[in-house]
Amino acid sequence: MNRIGLFLLAAAAVHAASVSNVTFNKQVLPVLQKNCQGCHRPGEAAPMSFLTYKETRPYAKAIKAAVAAKKMPPWFADSAHGKWANDRSLTAAEINTLVAWADSGAAEGNPKDAPKPLAFVDGWNIGKPDAEFEMQSDFTVPASGTIDYTYFVVPTNWNEDKWIQMAEVRPGNRSLVHHVIAYIRAPGSKWLADAEPGKAFVPRKGERRGEGSGEWLTAFAPGSMPERLEAGQGRLVKAGSDIVFQMHYTANGKEGKDRSKVGVVFAKQTPTMRVMTVASQNGKFQIPAGDANYQVDSTMTVTKDATLISFAPHMHLRGKDFEYRAVYPTGETQILLRVPAYSFSWQLTYLPEKPIVLPKGTKIECTAHFDNSANNKYNPDPAKVVRWGDQSWDEMMIGFFSVTVPVNPAQPRTDD
Ligand code: HEC
């Protein structure tokens, strides 16, 4: 054997030795705390908890498979463009640790080596909310059929303006709630004017329902995490506003009830930056039947100096990839986010590590591709021409993003 071969052998032996020392308490738990427990704990998105050794041990092999294939944690940003404050993807060393643990018998190790358990407030990721808004009645989801987007209007009864720093939706019944968007409806708004507070409401066809009608507060969808704004930032809820729940329910074969709620935490001091969610979107497309790579573009011009703090691309089951670009007034173009393999199962928000300055006149361009072919295993019907629509078997092309704009005390209405 030549020297290189010997060297490799020696390295392998060293590796094997360190592998057998991996224990749950010492090396595995810190990784789970940092990257997995946000979802893998009771009451959250994942079906099993990874808080304790006893709970985690049965999944050692599944964990190895999921992390080696990069299926877990869900994370889809192309690392070639942008750095992300909420990047949950594992480093090679973290993957090796989990794989080595599974391969070496998934030992528990010494409890003294374990990091302190993370403190979770039961039921909320934002800590105890300052105010909670709950649908006033249960909604009964039938066993089968299509359920139109259903709206619930919950008055805040606030008689002063409030600044929100954190907001979270808690779905009442995760097996029936596909998504929730909580909007702020300003007093005097005509949007959903026929909706009676406390009663489920389904707008007539053609009535303006979503974006542009209310202001985005927060949302829930698989994989989503509640928003935590920095000190000095806030979403403004004017006195007398209502919270509007847009509920997308999906029947799952068994009738069931849901009553979802939203919690908010107020900003500790009056923010200097107001946060608003806007979108670069295109609702006028027709994806031909069978087309495996249909492109849809959108563009949106930023009408005042703003700073971009998050992205949330949204398509449905035929969504394939999504890209955001900034075209600056100088003419320079920059790719801000690329999601090369979009997954409808995971509605993720991407928070840039450094906020992106958008001078007035910057265009946010988005490009999406859709796979309407039979090769897309999620495609509900490759024989159909597909247009914009609410339901998962229709499509959407929305590049949501959130910006901050300075709060000008002399001109408090920054929303026009
Ligand atoms: C954003 C939420 C989220 C995070 C973060 C997350 N998981 Fe999951 N995980 C889920 C959900 C939901 C499921 C069940 C649905 C599914 O399998 O897609 C799941 C399923 C799994 C499974 C079952 C097998 C499989 O591949 O479907 C394993 C194993 C797993 N996760 C491991 C991990 C590990 C290890 C981490 C951290 C390194 C992690 N997950 C982080 C939400 C999450």
Side-chain angles (χ1 to χ4, degrees), residues 118-184:
L118 298 184
F120 297 110
V121 173
D122 206 21
W124 296 97
N125 287 295
I126 57 173
K128 190 178 155 26
D130 292 320
E132 291 181 29
F133 302 97
E134 191 173 43
M135 287 161 45
Q136 302 94 327
S137 55
D138 289 350
F139 182 74
T140 302
V141 180
S144 63
T146 305
I147 303 128
D148 285 330
Y149 282 14
T150 304
Y151 293 78
F152 293 85
V153 175
V154 184
T156 60
N157 295 320
W158 287 340
N159 47 25
E160 54 180 16
D161 293 356
K162 298 272 191 199
W163 286 97
I164 308 297
Q165 187 163 9
M166 294 189 277
E168 180 175 0
V169 175
R170 298 300 297 181
N173 187 335
R174 282 174 188 272
S175 67
L176 298 168
V177 174
H178 176 274
H179 83 229
V180 183
I181 301 178
Y183 292 98
I184 305 159

Side-chain angles (χ1 to χ4, degrees), residues 160-398:
E160 54 180 16
D161 293 356
K162 298 272 191 199
W163 286 97
I164 308 297
Q165 187 163 9
M166 294 189 277
E168 180 175 0
V169 175
R170 298 300 297 181
N173 187 335
R174 282 174 188 272
S175 67
L176 298 168
V177 174
H178 176 274
H179 83 229
V180 183
I181 301 178
Y183 292 98
I184 305 159
R185 185 173 73 171
S189 165
K190 299 275 180 299
W191 179 46
L192 304 178
D194 301 341
E196 235 180 280
K199 292 219 175 106
F201 181 75
V202 177
R204 290 182 302 276
K205 281 251 176 314
E207 191 171 343
R208 286 177 71 202
R209 283 176 292 184
E211 43 289 330
S213 315
E215 197 175 314
W216 183 282
L217 173 63
T218 185
F220 163 84
S224 65
M225 285 280 145
E227 179 175 78
R228 291 185 183 81
L229 297 177
E230 312 272 322
Q233 301 176 340
R235 289 183 187 266
L236 178 60
V237 180
K238 298 208 182 85
S241 293
D242 299 313
I243 306 296
V244 175
F245 288 65
Q246 180 198 70
M247 305 297 304
H248 181 186
Y249 292 111
T250 38
N252 68 8
K254 232 171 71 194
E255 185 184 285
K257 288 190 191 319
D258 170 65
R259 191 187 287 213
S260 296
K261 61 184 176 181
V262 173
V264 297
V265 171
F266 300 138
K268 301 285 169 287
Q269 69 266 62
T270 306
T272 53
M273 302 301 282
R274 177 171 177 186
V275 175
M276 299 167 88
T277 299
V278 290
S280 176
Q281 65 184 56
N282 182 344
K284 295 201 184 72
F285 55 78
Q286 278 191 43
I287 307 170
D291 196 321
N293 198 36
Y294 187 75
Q295 181 168 329
V296 180
D297 294 292
S298 69
T299 182
M300 190 262 203
T301 304
V302 179
T303 56
K304 62 180 91 175
D305 290 348
T307 303
L308 200 162
I309 58 164
S310 74
F311 299 88
H314 183 68
M315 302 180 281
H316 291 170
L317 293 163
R318 294 166 176 92
K320 196 173 167 188
D321 55 56
F322 204 99
E323 178 179 291
Y324 289 73
R325 294 175 302 276
V327 182
Y328 295 102
T330 57
E332 186 201 344
T333 298
Q334 183 191 1
I335 295 175
L336 302 177
L337 166 66
R338 255 179 62 72
V339 173
Y342 175 84
S343 167
F344 180 56
S345 307
W346 299 104
Q347 297 294 318
L348 300 192
T349 299
Y350 299 90
L351 309 175
E353 217 167 67
K354 287 205 196 79
I356 300 162
V357 175
L358 306 176
K360 176 181 169 178
T362 302
K363 288 197 180 73
I364 297 296
E365 293 183 347
C366 296
T367 297
H369 289 94
F370 294 88
D371 183 352
N372 195 14
S373 76
N375 288 336
N376 174 1
K377 66 177 173 183
Y378 304 108
N379 192 346
D381 185 357
K384 242 184 83 177
V385 176
V386 183
R387 297 182 184 80
W388 179 281
D390 283 350
Q391 298 296 338
S392 308
W393 51 88
D394 307 315
E395 268 305 333
M396 286 194 181
M397 189 281 184
I398 312 179

